[in-house]
Amino acid sequence: MTYLFNPPAIVSLPIRGSAARFPVGRVFCLGRNYPWPQAYGPAPQEPVFFMKPASNVVHAQGELPYPPHSDEFCHEIELVAAIATGGANIAAEQALTHVFGFAVGLDLTCRDHQRKAKAEGLPWESAKVFEASAPMTAIVPASDCPWPLQGSLWLQVNGQERQRAELSQQTWALAEVISRLSRQLPLRPGDLIMTGSPPGVAPLKPGDAIHAGIDGIGELHVHIGPRPAAQAANAA
Ligand code: MN
């Protein structure tokens, strides 16, 4: 069997303490999963999932590109769960046995596009899908994480804290999230689940330095690159 062209390279993340890497399959993201101020509207009654392509996942280090199409590029610190054992219709009581480990991730979001999509009832891809939209730390095996997971997730920009919450404040616990998602479609090894961000998301500017972490899992340091120059208009 031959392909028309060489298949894209598998995206992967390092695993702390291992020479092996974690091959990334699909990236499921959970909408609001922490208490947010009432001004943001009523919380959804059921978990809301959206996706990012695996090609948007990068190891969080160095410079992240400012997306070319947004004027309101925002950070969202999130706990990421890495699935190594697939399955359908997973019972919540068994769900955590499907998790290989955890990472600290950023669900980078173009809030201007998300606001427009919400207002007009349109899909979210223009807000959520762009190069390097899902930077993550190395994956830490669950056996090396404090269990049960507890403690804070937090994010600073240029040394100022913008987001901080307790993992225990999540509306839907990870086991419930895995169980519900696996009733929609079978989970596969390589799936990542980004489990939602607490309040405090705010815009990023070129040159901003982000320092973020989750107790017991890890920390990341990245900075934001320059805004791409406006595309030169085609000659009239
Ligand atoms: Mn998010």
Side-chain angles (χ1 to χ4, degrees):
M1 201 274 284
T2 59
Y3 291 110
L4 179 62
F5 50 84
N6 290 331
I10 298 291
V11 173
S12 65
L13 288 168
I15 297 170
R16 190 193 291 172
S18 171
R21 293 178 69 92
F22 186 92
V24 177
R26 304 172 297 186
V27 185
F28 297 99
C29 307
L30 190 53
R32 201 171 353 161
N33 195 28
Y34 290 85
W36 278 58
Q38 282 198 328
Y40 290 87
Q45 296 300 301
E46 298 287 330
V48 174
F49 295 105
F50 61 92
M51 295 187 75
K52 294 190 178 216
S55 58
N56 283 181
V57 174
V58 294
H59 187 204
Q61 52 190 358
E63 184 172 289
L64 298 174
Y66 193 108
H69 66 307
S70 178
D71 294 315
E72 197 176 0
F73 174 42
C74 295
H75 53 76
E76 297 189 359
I77 172 78
E78 308 203 358
L79 171 71
V80 182
I83 302 292
T85 308
N89 302 313
I90 298 168
E93 298 73 27
Q94 295 298 316
L96 297 178
T97 66
H98 292 255
V99 177
F100 168 74
F102 299 95
V104 181
L106 300 179
D107 168 18
L108 295 173
T109 300
C110 299
R111 192 71 57 207
D112 45 355
H113 288 271
Q114 189 183 34
R115 190 180 302 111
K116 184 171 189 290
K118 286 180 175 177
E120 299 182 10
L122 297 171
W124 284 14
E125 275 80 357
S126 66
K128 296 290 191 178
V129 179
F130 47 90
E131 288 298 289
S133 77
M136 300 180 188
T137 63
I139 294 172
V140 183
S143 54
D144 294 342
C145 296
W147 199 260
L149 281 186
Q150 53 190 358
S152 301
L153 67 172
W154 50 270
L155 181 142
Q156 301 173 352
V157 177
N158 303 329
Q160 299 281 316
E161 186 168 283
R162 294 212 186 151
Q163 292 187 272
R164 176 175 287 275
E166 299 297 313
L167 291 170
S168 61
Q169 292 178 287
Q170 290 191 334
T171 307
W172 291 285
L174 179 60
E176 179 68 15
V177 169
I178 290 171
S179 179
R180 292 206 186 206
L181 192 53
S182 76
R183 282 179 250 155
Q184 178 175 331
L185 80 176
L187 291 180
R188 296 178 182 173
D191 287 341
L192 299 177
I193 303 174
M194 305 192 75
T195 61
S197 196
V201 304
L204 294 160
K205 300 186 305 298
D208 278 351
I210 300 175
H211 181 199
I214 302 179
D215 294 344
I217 296 177
E219 299 184 11
L220 61 82
H221 290 268
V222 290
H223 62 272
I224 306 302
R227 290 196 66 161
Q231 295 287 324
N234 290 331

